[in-house]
Amino acid sequence: MKKRELLLAITILILPGLLLASAEIHVSKNGKDSNSGGKQDPYLTISKAASAVQPGDTVIVHGGTYREWVKPLRGGTGEESRITYRAAKGEKVVIKGSEIIKGWKQVGGGVWKVELANSFFGDYNPYALILTGDWLAYGKWHHRGDVYLNGKAFLEMQKEEEVGQTSGSWFCRTDEKTTTIVANFGKGDPNKETVEINVRGGLFMPEITGLKYITIDGFHFLHAASNWAAPNRFQPGAVGTWMGKCWVIQNCTITDCRCVGIILGKAPGIDFSDIDAYGDHIIRNNIIRRCGQSGIAGYKGATRSLIEGNLIEDTNYRSEFGGQETAAIKFHYSVDTIIKNNLIRRVNEKKDNHGADGIGGFGIWIDANNQSFRVTGNIVYDT
């Protein structure tokens, strides 16, 4: 074979591999979204990486706190061409739905207030929106936001005067232009401490339904202000597949989310009659704690999924609101699902107006029209 023909043959063999070669996209708090996304030239936000990543690529996020809602624009095309989002090895990556708030003014008796222009929240103001949805039995006046002092969530009060009586509590009101938050910090000074409030409904969830082959690995998710996730409506949550297929969510910590931590639930634009269009997820080795409604929940979206090795604790730990959807794990209409080797503890319930138990507070609740479930090897206690 002539030299020229040999080079041509080698090129034909190698070129497809080069065209399909995966890339690493890096994100760092020292980066810029105008950069190229390379290791030495990283992006600043995960959202920028999500707009650039292609099937087969890996987004590596370096240590720091990222205050954004990551909304992937595309998924992978198969197991060999997944899109992977991964925290850099040995680095702590935190994704928060909250913002730090300064400018508090002292009222007296440990009570402070802050006034924020409604434009600060964009098109989603959790303090102008209460929790709504079917099977929400009590606490319906609560808002979707929350207030945190040095990472600890305060308790919302229904009346402003109640804040003065309870350290670690808050109240909010809104008008056409302004949102006012009143909080009791006891002896603390909120302008010197870290005070955060929820401002985003989700943390990692696409707005496009049906994305496939996405892996989320090793992140810390906090402070989502999503609504109550009733199964007969579109279901929001902190981290979710939005009725995608073949997602892997693993080695993550998901805490202090207003309602649901991981949602595998109902979304628009999906043909629910095609059972092969969604599901096949792996949800494993996550820590999920202090979520107001459920650690993991969903309608149909958990079909053919494996829920394994997760720690879910302190669900509805404040007993602020709840109902027939309150459980560490809660599924409807899913088929061939395995719930295996999870540790579930401390799911709270609240007595109804007649003093009877049973409004909600379950470890694993396999609700209506699930089929061919296997529940094995789990430890469930203190519920």
Side-chain angles (χ1 to χ4, degrees):
M1 183 180 288
K2 295 181 181 180
K3 184 176 181 181
R4 185 175 180 180
E5 293 172 338
L6 178 62
L7 289 173
L8 179 60
I10 293 173
T11 300
I12 291 172
L13 290 172
I14 293 177
L15 185 57
L18 293 175
L19 292 174
L20 296 174
S22 60
E24 282 189 357
I25 297 174
H26 288 259
V27 180
S28 168
K29 296 304 294 182
N30 297 318
K32 297 179 181 179
D33 280 350
S34 59
N35 288 347
S36 67
K39 187 173 183 179
Q40 304 302 322
D41 198 35
Y43 293 134
L44 175 62
T45 66
I46 308 170
S47 295
K48 174 62 179 179
S51 70
V53 68
Q54 298 295 324
D57 292 350
T58 299
V59 176
I60 298 177
V61 185
H62 294 274
T65 298
Y66 297 81
R67 298 183 186 272
E68 54 182 303
W69 180 347
V70 183
K71 302 176 181 179
L73 296 180
R74 62 189 63 86
T77 55
E79 284 295 345
E80 301 303 318
S81 58
R82 283 185 163 271
I83 290 180
T84 299
Y85 295 82
R86 186 174 71 235
K89 187 175 181 180
E91 300 183 38
K92 184 176 181 179
V93 178
V94 181
I95 301 175
K96 287 189 174 184
S98 61
E99 295 289 343
I100 295 174
I101 300 298
K102 298 292 185 182
W104 294 86
K105 297 181 179 179
Q106 194 168 19
V107 175
V111 178
W112 301 65
K113 72 175 182 178
V114 66
E115 294 182 352
L116 302 168
N118 291 338
S119 59
F120 170 79
F121 298 97
D123 59 1
Y124 187 82
N125 182 349
Y127 305 91
L129 298 167
I130 61 172
L131 298 174
T132 59
D134 292 324
W135 299 288
L136 177 61
Y138 63 92
K140 297 179 182 181
W141 56 269
H142 284 85
H143 291 82
R144 302 178 193 179
D146 227 332
V147 176
Y148 308 87
L149 173 63
N150 298 325
K152 183 178 180 180
F154 278 17
L155 188 68
E156 184 179 5
M157 295 295 170
Q158 190 171 9
K159 299 178 180 179
E160 185 171 352
E161 55 266 28
E162 295 174 322
V163 174
Q165 303 165 12
T166 308
S167 180
S169 66
W170 66 277
F171 168 86
C172 69
R173 60 176 180 269
T174 59
D175 58 30
E176 292 183 357
K177 296 182 178 180
T178 305
T179 295
T180 301
I181 299 175
V182 181
N184 190 330
F185 295 98
K187 297 180 180 179
D189 183 341
N191 294 315
K192 295 180 180 179
E193 308 290 341
T194 300
V195 178
E196 299 164 290
I197 66 169
N198 291 358
V199 299
R200 284 173 281 276
L203 302 175
F204 197 112
M205 182 187 292
E207 292 182 316
I208 302 169
T209 57
L211 295 185
K212 302 177 181 180
Y213 299 104
I214 292 177
T215 297
I216 306 170
D217 191 354
F219 296 100
H220 294 258
F221 294 100
L222 295 91
H223 302 169
S226 51
N227 190 23
W228 179 258
N232 60 332
R233 301 187 182 187
F234 301 145
Q235 291 185 299
V239 179
T241 63
W242 214 217
M243 292 303 287
K245 185 177 172 70
C246 298
W247 286 48
V248 177
I249 302 173
Q250 62 185 11
N251 307 318
C252 293
T253 300
I254 303 170
T255 65
D256 292 292
C257 297
R258 197 59 164 156
C259 287
V260 178
I262 296 177
I263 191 76
L264 307 177
K266 203 168 184 179
I270 292 293
D271 179 8
F272 289 108
S273 65
D274 181 5
I275 198 171
D276 293 319
Y278 47 80
D280 292 293
H281 306 302
I282 298 174
I283 313 297
R284 64 185 171 201
N285 302 335
N286 301 288
I287 297 172
I288 307 171
R289 57 167 61 103
R290 296 192 298 275
C291 294
Q293 178 183 337
S294 297
I296 306 172
Y299 174 97
K300 290 198 174 183
T303 290
R304 298 180 309 277
S305 293
L306 173 65
I307 315 297
E308 181 178 21
N310 302 283
L311 167 63
I312 308 175
E313 61 184 4
D314 299 319
T315 303
N316 193 27
Y317 74 107
R318 291 179 289 183
S319 296
E320 291 182 282
F321 53 85
Q324 284 76 17
E325 301 306 315
T326 303
I329 297 176
K330 179 71 184 290
F331 291 136
H332 297 78
Y333 280 83
S334 290
V335 178
D336 296 335
T337 301
I338 299 174
I339 301 177
K340 179 180 179 182
N341 297 343
N342 300 280
L343 173 58
I344 295 169
R345 58 192 178 190
R346 297 192 297 272
V347 183
N348 286 351
E349 67 174 351
K350 186 174 182 177
K351 295 181 184 298
D352 66 19
N353 292 333
H354 303 288
D357 293 334
I359 286 180
F362 299 89
I364 300 173
W365 191 346
I366 309 306
D367 207 325
N369 295 292
N370 294 286
Q371 182 176 326
S372 300
F373 256 75
R374 185 180 183 203
V375 181
T376 179
N378 302 281
I379 298 174
V380 183
Y381 68 93
D382 211 1
T383 70

